[in-house]
């Protein structure tokens, strides 16, 4: 594998690889003078370990020593696959080290490392910070890359989205929930984006609050029936884009009532997501600006 191909695989620049080789001695085991460098599977394995360690916050010098000391005899899964075209990284900006590592692992389609970073981020940081500071910047960068490159890099976004959903689902799958009525979480009938709903569910589970998740694209009558049957004190309706924000349906949900005469109850609707911006929010609905605010509002309504 050439240095350029290896850089694309690892999600770093060729300059970085050459710098590591010059400073820390991480280079091809076999290099004939006057010929281009060729990285063999063993060499690639050492560099992949270097990338994993630096993504976890280890200094490059220490990461190099550890990677060289490990010296795996067998290449990691996928060695020999053709590197993807296009740029080398996802432009995540100034973010946490975990997010940089996640972006690099996603670009090289290193599914085990993506899963490991996400699981550790949720465990160490909690679902709210993991979603806000690790997952979301990487997802947005993948979306921008896909939009700029056309069909290229769509596999990166799909891999990343699937693993983010899996990590959030595991965090939400906690049996211990407070007794009492549960919040209802649903996407609008034509809304297909589900990851923000998964983040809300994970955040509620982390606080021990009860919820029922109905996922994206819940049909109108199914939404109404679910509210009538469960009597939730709060209904969070997610809309990613303006065309999915059905103001009339949200208002209909907000006016549903249940309970005995003289003590009728109705839900508080949380219009969550950028699709509800401007005048689209139904009257009386709460409009949480971010995940932490939505969780605080739901906790107030559920306690």
């Amino acid at each position: 594998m050439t240095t350029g191909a290896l850089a694309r695989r690892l999600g770093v620049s060729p300059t970085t690889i050459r710098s590591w080789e010059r400073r820390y001695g991480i280079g091809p085991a076999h290099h004939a003078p006057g010929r281009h460098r060729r990285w063999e599977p063993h060499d690639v394995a050492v560099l992949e370990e270097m990338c994993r360690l630096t993504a976890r916050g280890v200094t490059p010098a220490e990461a190099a020593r550890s990677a060289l000391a490990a010296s795996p005899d067998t290449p990691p899964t996928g060695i020999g696959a053709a590197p993807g075209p296009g740029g080398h990284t996802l432009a995540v900006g100034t973010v946490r080290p975990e997010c940089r590592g996640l972006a690099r692992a996603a670009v090289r389609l290193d599914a085990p490392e993506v899963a490991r970073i996400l699981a550790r981020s949720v465990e160490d940081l909690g679902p709210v910070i993991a979603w806000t500071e690790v997952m979301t910047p990487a997802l947005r960068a993948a979306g921008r890359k896909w939009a700029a490159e056309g069909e290229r890099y769509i596999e990166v976004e799909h891999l990343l989205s699937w693993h983010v959903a899996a990590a959030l689902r595991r965090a939400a799958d906690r049996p211990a929930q407070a007794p009492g009525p549960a919040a209802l979480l649903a996407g609008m009938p034509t809304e297909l984006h589900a990851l923000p709903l998964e983040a809300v569910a994970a955040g509620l589970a982390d606080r021990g609050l009860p919820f029922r998740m109905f996922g994206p694209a819940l049909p109108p009558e199914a939404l109404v029936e679910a509210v009538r049957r469960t009597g939730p004190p709060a209904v969070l309706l997610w809309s990613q884009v303006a065309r999915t924000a059905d103001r009339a349906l949200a208002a209909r949900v907000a006016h549903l009532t249940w309970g005995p005469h003289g003590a009728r109850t109705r839900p508080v609707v949380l219009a969550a997501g950028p699709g509800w911006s401007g005048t689209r929010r139904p009257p009386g609905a709460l409009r949480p600006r971010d995940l932490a605010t939505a969780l605080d509002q739901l906790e107030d309504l559920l306690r």
Side-chain angles (χ1 to χ4, degrees):
M1 189 178 291
T2 66
T3 299
L6 179 58
R8 288 192 291 273
R9 177 182 184 82
L10 298 176
V12 299
S13 69
T15 302
T16 297
I17 293 180
R18 297 187 188 102
S19 173
W20 286 350
E21 181 182 3
R22 184 176 64 255
R23 294 181 180 181
Y24 311 119
I26 293 185
H30 305 288
H31 175 217
R35 300 185 63 183
H36 289 296
R37 287 166 170 74
R38 290 295 186 270
W39 300 78
E40 297 181 0
H42 172 81
D43 307 319
V44 177
V46 174
L47 269 180
E48 285 194 328
E49 181 64 13
M50 174 87 174
C51 287
R52 289 190 181 98
L53 291 171
T54 55
R56 299 173 193 177
V58 179
T59 65
E62 184 179 348
R65 286 193 295 270
S66 298
L68 289 169
S71 296
D73 294 325
T74 56
T77 303
I79 290 295
H88 306 302
T89 60
L90 297 179
V92 292
T94 303
V95 293
R96 302 181 67 98
E98 296 91 341
C99 183
R100 289 197 300 273
L102 179 62
R104 289 172 178 171
V107 165
R108 62 180 186 266
L109 303 181
D110 187 345
E113 183 67 0
V114 168
R116 189 207 65 79
I117 292 173
L118 289 170
R120 180 62 62 84
S121 297
V122 172
E123 179 182 352
D124 293 348
L125 305 174
V128 174
I129 295 178
W131 168 257
T132 305
E133 300 185 14
V134 179
M135 300 174 185
T136 298
L139 287 165
R140 287 176 177 167
R144 289 193 299 268
K145 191 74 169 179
W146 170 50
E149 299 283 348
E151 288 300 314
R152 298 158 82 178
Y153 281 86
I154 191 172
E155 72 280 4
V156 174
E157 185 183 35
H158 277 240
L159 179 84
L160 183 58
S161 296
W162 189 90
H163 281 283
V164 166
L168 292 172
R169 189 73 57 84
R170 283 192 296 270
D173 189 21
R174 298 181 180 180
Q177 293 185 1
L184 190 152
L185 313 178
M188 297 304 291
T190 57
E191 179 56 65
L192 300 179
H193 291 80
L195 290 181
L197 284 174
E198 302 280 10
V200 174
L204 289 173
D206 187 56
R207 298 188 183 197
L209 298 172
F211 64 89
R212 288 186 176 89
M213 165 67 86
F214 290 86
L218 185 62
E221 293 307 317
L223 171 60
V224 170
E225 185 63 16
V227 173
R228 282 177 174 159
R229 291 180 60 186
T230 62
V235 177
L236 186 142
L237 299 176
W238 177 264
S239 173
Q240 180 73 25
V241 294
R243 59 181 172 78
T244 68
D246 189 334
R247 192 170 185 265
L249 178 59
R252 181 183 174 191
V253 169
H255 285 85
L256 292 173
T257 59
W258 54 83
H261 290 292
R264 305 288 283 178
T265 304
R266 64 179 56 183
V268 175
V269 170
L270 284 75
W276 295 108
S277 60
T279 60
R280 298 183 186 90
R281 182 179 66 176
L286 300 179
R287 179 74 173 89
R289 65 181 182 274
D290 53 29
L291 175 58
T293 303
L295 293 173
D296 288 342
Q297 291 173 342
L298 287 169
E299 184 167 12
D300 289 341
L301 294 167
L302 293 172
R303 291 300 188 188

